[in-house]
Amino acid sequence: MENQSVVYKASDLSDHGELFRALTPPARLGIFGYPIAHSASPQMQNAALSEKKHPLQYVRIEVAPEELSGALGNLASTGFLGANITIPHKQNALALVEEVSREARLMGAINTISVREEKLHGFNTDGPGFAAAIKEEFGSDLGNFRVLILGGAGGAGRAITIQCVLQACPQIILANRNREKGDLLAREIHDQFGVNVSSLSLDPEKLRKTLAAVDLIVNATPLGMKSGDPSPLPDHLIQLHHLVYDTVYSGETSALLQQAKQMGAKGANGLSMLLHQGALAYEIWFNEQAPLATMRAALSLKADL
Ligand code: NAP
C-alpha cells in the first residue's frame, strides 16, 4: 500500500485513471474535498479493505470547487467503485449525480457516491452516522433528546437537523451564523414534514434562554478544526445536565468540549460519527457488513498520534 498521506489531484482522474490503476493495490475508492489533508477516512477505510481482503485502496483527492463537476464526470471511467464527498462539496455534489437516495434528497447534500452500471448514485450517511454516534456515546436514542444544532444550516448541520426530524426529536432548534439560511431550512422542513423547527442566530442572549430546555448540544460549525479556534458558544452557557457532541474531530479537545468538562457535563468528539458514517458508506459500496472493530481501532490509532 502506498503512503496513505499522499494527496492526489483532480487531474489525476483524467486519462481513465491510469495513475490509480497502476498503484498497488489499485485505487478504486477515494475522498474528494478541499482541503483534504486532515481527513482520517483513508486510514479507517483502508483498514477495512485490508481486513476484508478487498484488493483495492482508498485515496485522498484534493478537488477545488471549480474542479468538482469534471472530477465526478471522470469517476466512472476511472474504474472507481465510489467516493466520499466532504467539505465544501456536499451540497453541490447532489446536482452532479444521476440518482439520489430519499434521505440525501431530504438532507439536500450527499457524502457518499456508489458507481453502479456507470451511473453515479448519491447517498447521505452523515445523518444516520450521527444518530448511531449519539446512541453509542450517550446510551439513548437521538429521538429522546431536545436538540440544539449550532451551524444547523451547513452541510453536516442540515443532515443532522433532518435526522432529528426523521427520528421525531421532541424539540429541534437550529442556530446558524447566517440566520436567513436557518430560517429558510426551518420553512422547508415545515413545508415538507409539517414539523416546527426553531431557527436562531448565534446571539448569546437568545442561546442562553433556549439552553435550559435543551438536552443535547451539537456543534456542526468548523470551529475547533484549527488549533486555538474559539468555542461556538460563549462561556458559562453549558449546564450540568447537557450532553455535548462536537462533530469536529482533531487531535485536541475543542474549546466547546473544554467548557463542557469544566461544567461537569458529558461530551464527545466527532470520531464516533466519522466511524459510523464511514461504516455505512462501506456497506453501500460492498453490500456487506463493515468491520466496525477494525475501523474503530484504525481511528483510535489516529487519535493517539
Ligand atoms: P459547511 O457546509 O461549510 O457548513 C459550515 C457551517 O458552520 C455553516 O452553518 C456556517 O454558517 C457555520 N460556520 C462556519 N464558520 C463559522 C464561524 N466562524 N462561526 C460560526 N459559524 C460558522 O461545512 P460542513 O461540511 O457542514 O462541515 C462542518 C464541520 O462538520 C466540519 O468542520 C467537520 O469537522 C464536521 N463534520 C464532521 C463529520 C464527522 O463524521 N465527524 C462529518 C461531517 C462534518 P453560515 O451558514 O453562516 O456560513
Side-chain angles (χ1 to χ4, degrees), residues 147-154 157-158 161 172-183 185-186 197-204 206-208 210-211 214 217-221 232-233:
V147 189
L148 168 68
I149 305 127
L150 304 164
R158 235 185 120 95
T161 303
I172 306 168
I173 303 159
L174 68 88
N176 209 65
R177 181 177 60 177
N178 175 338
R179 165 89 193 267
E180 280 170 21
K181 259 172 78 180
D183 289 352
L185 178 57
V197 166
S198 311
S199 165
L200 305 176
S201 65
L202 291 173
D203 174 58
K206 297 231 168 65
L207 290 171
R208 192 183 62 74
T210 305
L211 276 163
V214 161
I217 301 170
V218 182
N219 175 34
T221 78
L233 274 187

Side-chain angles (χ1 to χ4, degrees), residues 38 86-91 111 126 150-158 160 175-179 181-182 202 219-225 230 232 245-249 269-278:
H38 70 282
T86 189
I87 194 166
H89 301 313
K90 289 180 184 182
Q91 295 181 52
N111 75 334
D126 277 339
L150 304 164
R158 235 185 120 95
I160 288 170
N176 209 65
R177 181 177 60 177
N178 175 338
R179 165 89 193 267
K181 259 172 78 180
L202 291 173
N219 175 34
T221 78
L223 288 174
M225 274 180 97
Y245 192 82
D246 197 338
T247 68
V248 171
Y249 60 90
N269 76 18
L271 272 182
S272 47
M273 176 174 168
L274 180 75
L275 170 70
H276 289 288
Q277 65 76 32

Side-chain angles (χ1 to χ4, degrees), residues 12-200:
D12 295 332
L13 287 160
S14 54
D15 288 339
H16 301 289
E18 283 302 318
L19 184 123
F20 293 120
R21 287 173 207 272
L23 297 178
T24 312
R28 298 188 63 203
L29 285 168
I31 180 157
F32 292 12
Y34 193 79
I36 195 59
H38 70 282
S39 174
S41 289
Q43 69 193 75
M44 171 176 70
Q45 295 293 357
N46 280 320
L49 294 170
S50 163
E51 165 80 18
K52 297 293 238 173
K53 304 205 171 5
H54 289 293
L56 57 123
Q57 66 172 298
Y58 179 111
V59 289
R60 70 185 79 222
I61 307 179
E62 186 179 78
V63 178
E66 64 278 12
E67 296 173 319
L68 183 67
S69 168
L72 292 183
N74 283 330
L75 195 63
S77 68
T78 56
F80 268 50
L81 301 179
N84 281 132
I85 305 296
T86 189
I87 194 166
H89 301 313
K90 289 180 184 182
Q91 295 181 52
N92 290 339
L94 185 137
L96 299 171
V97 297
E98 277 108 344
E99 302 282 340
V100 179
S101 73
R102 179 177 170 270
E103 284 81 9
R105 176 86 55 208
L106 294 172
M107 289 168 184
I110 62 170
N111 75 334
T112 301
I113 293 176
S114 176
V115 181
R116 296 175 182 175
E117 292 166 0
E118 312 241 320
K119 278 194 176 162
L120 306 189
H121 292 242
F123 300 86
N124 195 315
T125 66
D126 277 339
F130 166 76
I134 292 301
K135 178 101 193 251
E136 177 176 306
E137 300 283 4
F138 302 128
S140 184
D141 277 335
L142 174 63
N144 294 326
F145 295 127
R146 299 168 297 173
V147 189
L148 168 68
I149 305 127
L150 304 164
R158 235 185 120 95
I160 288 170
T161 303
I162 302 285
Q163 190 69 33
C164 292
V165 172
L166 295 175
Q167 296 200 211
C169 290
Q171 170 89 283
I172 306 168
I173 303 159
L174 68 88
N176 209 65
R177 181 177 60 177
N178 175 338
R179 165 89 193 267
E180 280 170 21
K181 259 172 78 180
D183 289 352
L184 185 65
L185 178 57
R187 272 201 302 278
E188 275 177 42
I189 290 173
H190 185 266
D191 292 349
Q192 183 129 14
F193 301 94
V195 170
N196 288 323
V197 166
S198 311
S199 165
L200 305 176

